[in-house]
Amino acid sequence: MELLLQQVMAGLATGAIYACMALAVVMIYQAIDHLNFAQGEMAMFSTFIAWQLIAWGVPYWVAFAVTVMVSFVAGVLIDRVLFRPVQRAPILSQIVAFIALFSILNSSAGQIWDYTIKSFPTPFGHSPMFGGTLIDTHEAGMIGVTLAMLALLYLFFRGTRLGLAMRAAAANPESARLVGIRVGWMTALGWGMAASIGAVAGMLIAPVVFLEPNMMLGVLLYGFAGAVLGGLTSPAGAVAGGFAVGIIENLAGTFIPVFGRELKLTIALIVIVIVLMFRPSGVFGRRVVSRV
Amino acid sequence: MTTVPENDVGAAGAVPVTRAIRLRPRVRHYLIAAAIAVALVIPLVSSSFVTFQVTEVIIYGLAILGLNLLTGFNGQFSLGHSAFYGIGAYTTAILMHNYDIAYYWTVPAAGAVCFVVGFLFGLPALRLQNLYLALATFALGNATPQILKFHALEGLTGGVQGLVVDQPDPPDFLSFIDGDQWLYYFTLAVTLVMLAAAANLIRSRTGRAIKAIRDNPIAASAMGINTSLYKTLTFGVSALYTGVAGALSALAVAFVAPDSFTIFLSISLLVGLVIGGVGSIPGCIFGGLFVLYVPNIANSVSTGLAGAIYGVILLLVVFAMPAGAAGFVRYLVSQTRGLRPADAINSQGGKP
Amino acid sequence: MLLEVSGLNAFYGQNQALHGVAFSVDEGQMRTLLGANGAGKTTILRAICGMVRVTGNITFDGRRIAGRATEDVVRLGVAHVPEGRGTFLRLSVEENLRLGAMTRKGKAEIAGDIERVYVNFPRLKERRGQQAGTLSGGEQQMLAVGRALMLRPRLLLLDEPSFGLAPLIVEELFAILRRINEETGVAMLIVEQNAALALELAEHAYLLETGRMVMDAPSAVIGADESIRRSYLGY
């Protein structure tokens, strides 16, 4: 029982990472109605920018803020330069464009900052929380920041006009134009926001997994899985999904004999796929009822 | 009222259709004959290495054709085709290495094994659409190298080390060509047969049913097409094609190892599919060319930034040819011909 | 003149769907576009809203709008209820209405307008929190019209408002449209398959055939001419 609790808590801690990433994933999904495979690499690149600023002597929180803003701008630029030209192309072609972006970012980061592992500071410290060994202050900080971002996003989308406009533009661009919404701007805004959230995710994750160009590969996948599990239209669901994935992965690794450790990711994915077979829109996703 | 999952990425719109260029049968036959003639000559005039590379191009083209059957013609996403490629390759390697079976029997065996695996995978896949299917197939693709490395199966698979495969010798009556050339012709023969089979399938009634399912699954089932059966069968056939490609690659490379069959292979196949032209059979070869040569080109420009250069080239190609090479060719053909009645129907942009 | 169209040609890819169309709609007027399927009626509405490639002149309120982006045309005061209604299915009824007022300022006025929509369409009020996709066809049509009205448009474009609706609902809807026109003075250009009803509602009609305008006359004239009715309008 003690072991179970420990693993659940550890799962929550790693789950915070996935939850954060899942939030960025859902964010871009809200903006462009499908997934961006290069999301993780964008977050990784942003984190490297932050690292570089800190290495040059910039204080943590200033570097944090600058990185978030630069990431926003970069997101908008990527929308304009990379996404816009293929917007009317078939989805598979768009996916290939994202694959290209992935490759560019990954390779460039490796070239600029090389592949040696770097450490990244955390403002929360690494001391144990509540005196015990279950969770440390950084992990608690991650969970806190993720939940805070979630709350902000919720307020933005549900409570503001701009948020409503963004949701409309993503749901039905032609109808959105018919009510006067500048859909192009909304998409760009979505990209910027997703890039910023990704940057925050990266900066929270790096202290745990250590900074190197390939750090986000696994994380992004878990983030996707969490977002899909929770339901791609529900940011709260995505966060919950991210936590769930962390827990499932940890429990699988600990309790399933023989395969557990080696096939953690696969088992987690299988569990998710099984859930999706019964709840196709994710656990918290809203089912759209439409008349044929 | 039917319920549609909110995150439906849009069945009909997700997979682009590259309509086949309608050439007069004689023109088409001349083109094919010319292509085959060129293909037959290549190993006789090229170095061993180039012959090997072209063999690889053909193999990738076949693998991409497999993916094309599933995604291009049937509308089901897959990020897991590296699994079938790997299973095909390992089937050949295991049969030859552990059981001393002749190489030419292992190829159909690989196809059969992959058909079964693909069919079985297609069953649960019936309940998943687009995005979710992508995730599930991703899981498959991701699991495969891990399973291949799994220590309990090492006796069979050779574990992390992999297995060595003996390069087949040319048959006695063809002793004037060397091993590489024979392998090329063997690969070419197998591929041509399978290409022809695929083309026939697509043009048949079954093929029309398969395409109907891609374009409008609800209408298709309303017309009496057993969509579940066709979808799982297509999964099986698609896996078969990619599996045979994998088997051929085991013979060509003379070696199999788990890390050759990672998710990156799946992504490469997808890239090849899109660049060649989704739903186009000739496009697959172009896709194979791209997948083999462009990473090499990028690498030769700059090893450190190889990935970045590859990405930029990929972007430029996708911008210039969003419907792939086949789509581009079709566009060129329609421009030079001017508008003909058949094309007028196809170029419809919407209802008046 | 609120809306003036002259020499309008429209193209879908290589196909020309409209040939030299010309007509006008003034403040407060109700006009209808009639014709068989494929005649080009919907294309005209889409051309006004910048949704299709055109050559020729379209002037709204003195401004040239041909080829302008949809959202810009909308912001000038043109509301379009498209074929298929264009409802935001995942959002609630009330959110759909709020979206209609996206380009306006003044929270109190907007709230007031929402209430007015509910007065005109009581069924929507009952379902204000419901997902729009769960509404019946008639209710979705009303929602679409309500959303268009939230813009406080000078001109309302309606594409086949009666499509797929039961006759009683259609009568109800058309009566509401007439009342709205009388109360607010918004001009309307209505594309309709149901010629009889359209001629009752609108005072002037345009008849289209394969992309060309073949008649331009008051509704009474067209309605009275039996040969026209038989050959073009089917009754």
Side-chain angles (χ1 to χ4, degrees):
Chain A
M1 194 54 206
E2 169 87 33
L3 181 63
L4 178 67
L5 190 62
Q6 229 174 26
Q7 287 306 315
V8 168
M9 285 306 283
L12 272 179
T14 45
I17 298 176
Y18 309 145
C20 212
M21 198 68 230
L23 202 54
V25 166
V26 167
M27 185 63 240
I28 198 71
Y29 189 81
Q30 301 273 28
I32 65 173
D33 220 33
H34 64 99
L35 299 176
N36 171 12
F37 292 103
Q39 196 83 28
E41 301 311 281
M42 286 167 64
M44 174 271 294
F45 206 90
S46 299
T47 312
F48 265 110
I49 293 176
W51 180 88
Q52 187 65 73
L53 290 173
I54 294 172
W56 284 335
V58 176
Y60 180 87
W61 287 112
V62 176
F64 187 94
V66 169
T67 302
V68 168
M69 289 190 292
V70 166
S71 301
F72 184 90
V73 172
V76 172
L77 279 175
I78 289 176
D79 169 56
R80 298 266 137 185
V81 171
L82 189 135
F83 186 64
R84 222 31 95 77
V86 291
Q87 206 170 20
R88 295 189 196 284
I91 289 185
L92 278 176
S93 303
Q94 292 177 352
I95 289 177
V96 169
F98 292 146
I99 291 172
L101 179 63
F102 182 108
S103 198
I104 292 172
L105 289 174
N106 187 290
S107 171
S108 308
Q111 182 74 336
I112 300 174
W113 288 291
D114 76 54
Y115 291 90
T116 54
I117 297 177
K118 300 165 176 47
S119 69
F120 193 86
T122 166
F124 302 114
H126 281 289
S127 21
M129 233 3 219
F130 314 122
T133 52
L134 287 179
I135 181 177
D136 73 25
T137 47
H138 176 75
E139 287 160 350
M142 269 201 294
I143 297 176
V145 171
T146 304
L147 292 176
M149 277 201 298
L150 179 64
L152 282 173
L153 277 181
Y154 185 83
L155 289 173
F156 174 74
F157 277 120
R158 301 278 146 167
T160 67
R161 243 181 172 207
L162 189 56
L164 181 60
M166 277 183 76
R167 284 160 65 206
N172 194 333
E174 195 169 88
S175 289
R177 285 194 187 91
L178 287 177
V179 295
I181 294 176
R182 300 203 194 282
V183 171
W185 292 8
M186 295 297 112
T187 313
L189 184 60
W191 273 90
M193 285 172 69
S196 293
I197 296 174
V200 173
M203 289 190 279
L204 288 177
I205 293 169
V208 180
V209 303
F210 298 106
L211 183 59
E212 53 98 11
N214 292 319
M215 76 183 208
M216 286 308 242
L217 290 177
V219 175
L220 179 63
L221 179 62
Y222 282 118
F224 271 162
V228 165
L229 181 65
L232 280 168
T233 51
S234 161
V239 168
F243 282 120
V245 168
I247 294 174
I248 294 171
E249 184 211 15
N250 248 36
L251 292 180
T254 317
F255 291 112
I256 296 184
V258 189
F259 316 101
R261 207 165 305 280
E262 289 174 25
L263 297 180
K264 271 198 310 194
L265 174 56
T266 306
I267 293 173
L269 285 175
I270 290 175
V271 169
I272 288 162
V273 167
I274 292 176
V275 170
L276 285 176
M277 282 173 58
F278 293 104
R279 301 264 315 166
S281 11
V283 176
F284 298 106
R286 257 199 304 186
R287 301 185 80 112
V288 173
V289 174
S290 65
R291 312 181 77 95
V292 170
Chain B
M1 279 210 284
T2 57
T3 45
V4 172
E6 185 164 14
N7 313 311
D8 185 6
V9 185
V15 176
V17 178
T18 304
R19 290 190 186 84
I21 303 169
R22 279 184 220 153
L23 294 170
R24 282 203 292 276
R26 240 185 327 153
V27 178
R28 185 168 48 219
H29 290 153
Y30 281 150
L31 279 176
I32 293 176
I36 294 181
V38 169
L40 285 172
V41 167
I42 288 179
L44 302 173
V45 300
S46 322
S47 70
S48 217
F49 183 62
V50 172
T51 302
F52 171 72
Q53 284 195 315
V54 182
T55 310
E56 289 264 270
V57 168
I58 296 174
I59 289 174
Y60 281 136
L62 185 62
I64 291 171
L65 178 59
L67 184 59
N68 207 353
L69 287 173
L70 186 66
T71 300
F73 290 105
N74 196 228
Q76 301 189 67
F77 270 33
S78 170
L79 283 174
H81 265 55
S82 56
F84 302 126
Y85 195 87
I87 291 173
Y90 264 85
T91 304
T92 289
I94 291 172
L95 287 176
M96 285 177 72
H97 192 264
N98 296 358
Y99 301 104
D100 256 341
I101 298 187
Y103 67 94
Y104 40 82
W105 293 125
T106 66
V107 173
V113 168
C114 287
F115 177 83
V116 171
V117 175
F119 186 89
L120 289 177
F121 193 83
L123 287 171
L126 284 174
R127 303 202 87 221
L128 300 169
Q129 296 293 334
N130 301 304
L131 177 61
Y132 308 101
L133 185 57
L135 203 61
T137 51
F138 190 98
L140 178 67
N142 204 63
T144 304
Q146 292 178 328
I147 294 175
L148 291 171
K149 285 187 210 172
F150 192 47
H151 57 268
L153 295 172
E154 249 167 47
L156 195 66
T157 63
V160 178
Q161 250 75 346
L163 295 172
V164 172
V165 174
D166 293 324
Q167 195 187 54
D169 290 320
D172 293 326
F173 64 90
L174 283 175
S175 54
F176 52 90
I177 59 175
D178 65 39
D180 286 321
Q181 291 170 325
W182 168 240
L183 199 58
Y184 174 89
Y185 286 120
F186 182 72
T187 303
L188 183 64
V190 171
T191 303
L192 283 176
V193 166
M194 295 189 73
L195 265 172
N200 260 352
L201 176 68
I202 294 305
R203 249 179 261 133
S204 72
R205 246 177 60 178
T206 311
R208 282 201 293 277
I210 289 173
K211 284 187 278 188
I213 292 172
R214 167 197 66 196
D215 293 332
N216 195 332
I218 298 176
S221 64
M223 287 196 293
I225 296 175
N226 187 340
T227 51
S228 305
L229 180 65
Y230 277 107
K231 284 174 85 167
T232 40
L233 278 177
T234 308
F235 226 109
V237 172
S238 159
L240 188 155
Y241 269 70
T242 305
V244 166
L248 292 170
S249 88
L251 296 173
V253 177
F255 179 68
V256 293
D259 284 329
S260 314
F261 307 112
T262 63
I263 211 70
F264 289 109
L265 177 62
S266 278
I267 292 176
S268 294
L269 292 178
L270 182 65
V271 169
L273 174 65
V274 173
I275 297 294
V278 179
S280 154
I281 292 183
C284 296
I285 298 296
F286 188 83
L289 272 169
F290 189 93
V291 166
L292 185 70
Y293 283 115
V294 175
N296 285 353
I297 294 173
N299 209 23
S300 62
V301 172
S302 156
T303 330
L305 280 176
I309 295 171
Y310 175 77
V312 171
I313 296 176
L314 191 55
L315 269 183
L316 292 173
V317 172
V318 167
F319 287 167
M321 309 196 298
F328 186 68
V329 170
R330 179 175 168 270
Y331 169 75
L332 286 179
V333 169
S334 76
Q335 292 294 92
T336 56
R337 273 178 175 179
L339 209 55
R340 292 166 74 204
D343 296 322
I345 302 169
N346 285 340
S347 67
Q348 184 181 33
K351 299 185 349 238
Chain C
M1 190 62 64
L2 188 61
L3 176 74
E4 252 188 290
V5 174
S6 62
L8 183 66
N9 304 303
F11 302 87
Y12 287 106
Q14 308 265 28
N15 298 332
Q16 184 164 1
L18 293 177
H19 303 263
V21 167
F23 66 94
S24 62
V25 182
D26 212 348
E27 304 266 10
Q29 287 183 339
M30 303 256 273
R31 303 205 158 188
T32 176
L33 287 167
L34 303 173
N37 259 333
K41 315 187 294 293
T42 299
T43 307
I44 290 181
L45 295 190
R46 302 185 86 212
I48 296 172
C49 284
M51 291 157 82
V52 70
R53 189 164 62 91
V54 299
T55 64
N57 278 323
I58 309 178
T59 315
F60 182 78
D61 205 19
R63 287 194 189 79
R64 306 192 58 166
I65 61 170
R68 273 228 221 164
T70 309
E71 47 265 46
D72 293 325
V73 174
V74 168
R75 279 159 186 255
L76 290 174
V78 179
H80 182 172
V81 182
E83 219 174 357
R85 298 157 205 147
T87 316
F88 295 104
L89 298 170
R90 300 180 211 170
L91 303 180
S92 73
V93 166
E94 181 125 341
E95 283 173 326
N96 269 270
L97 291 176
R98 279 202 287 144
L99 277 168
M102 185 53 63
T103 55
R104 290 171 48 196
K105 297 186 168 57
K107 280 174 75 165
E109 284 174 13
I110 295 175
D113 282 348
I114 293 184
E115 286 310 310
R116 207 149 341 133
V117 168
Y118 288 143
V119 165
N120 274 318
F121 303 109
R123 262 182 253 221
L124 293 182
K125 182 160 191 169
E126 287 166 27
R127 306 194 191 290
R128 65 198 299 174
Q130 250 177 270
Q131 222 181 63
T134 61
L135 268 55
S136 73
E139 291 161 349
Q140 283 198 28
Q141 185 66 63
M142 295 183 187
L143 176 59
V145 173
R147 187 184 88 198
L149 291 172
M150 290 298 301
L151 184 71
R152 285 221 188 147
R154 311 265 302 282
L155 173 65
L156 182 58
L157 306 173
L158 293 133
D159 200 339
E160 307 231 12
S162 73
F163 186 80
L165 301 187
L168 271 177
I169 310 271
V170 176
E171 277 190 38
E172 197 185 323
L173 177 63
F174 276 36
I176 296 173
L177 286 175
R178 176 179 292 110
R179 192 169 70 231
I180 291 171
N181 169 256
E182 285 164 10
E183 285 174 8
T184 66
V186 58
M188 295 189 194
L189 183 59
I190 305 169
V191 162
E192 252 306 334
Q193 280 273 301
N194 187 335
L197 269 175
L199 289 171
E200 259 183 70
L201 183 63
E203 70 230 6
H204 197 98
Y206 302 104
L207 190 50
L208 277 131
E209 190 182 293
T210 53
R212 290 182 173 77
M213 194 159 280
V214 296
M215 273 215 84
D216 171 350
S219 304
V221 170
I222 295 193
D225 188 331
E226 219 180 286
S227 63
I228 292 181
R229 276 168 39 207
R230 286 261 174 72
S231 37
Y232 288 103
L233 306 175
Y235 75 107

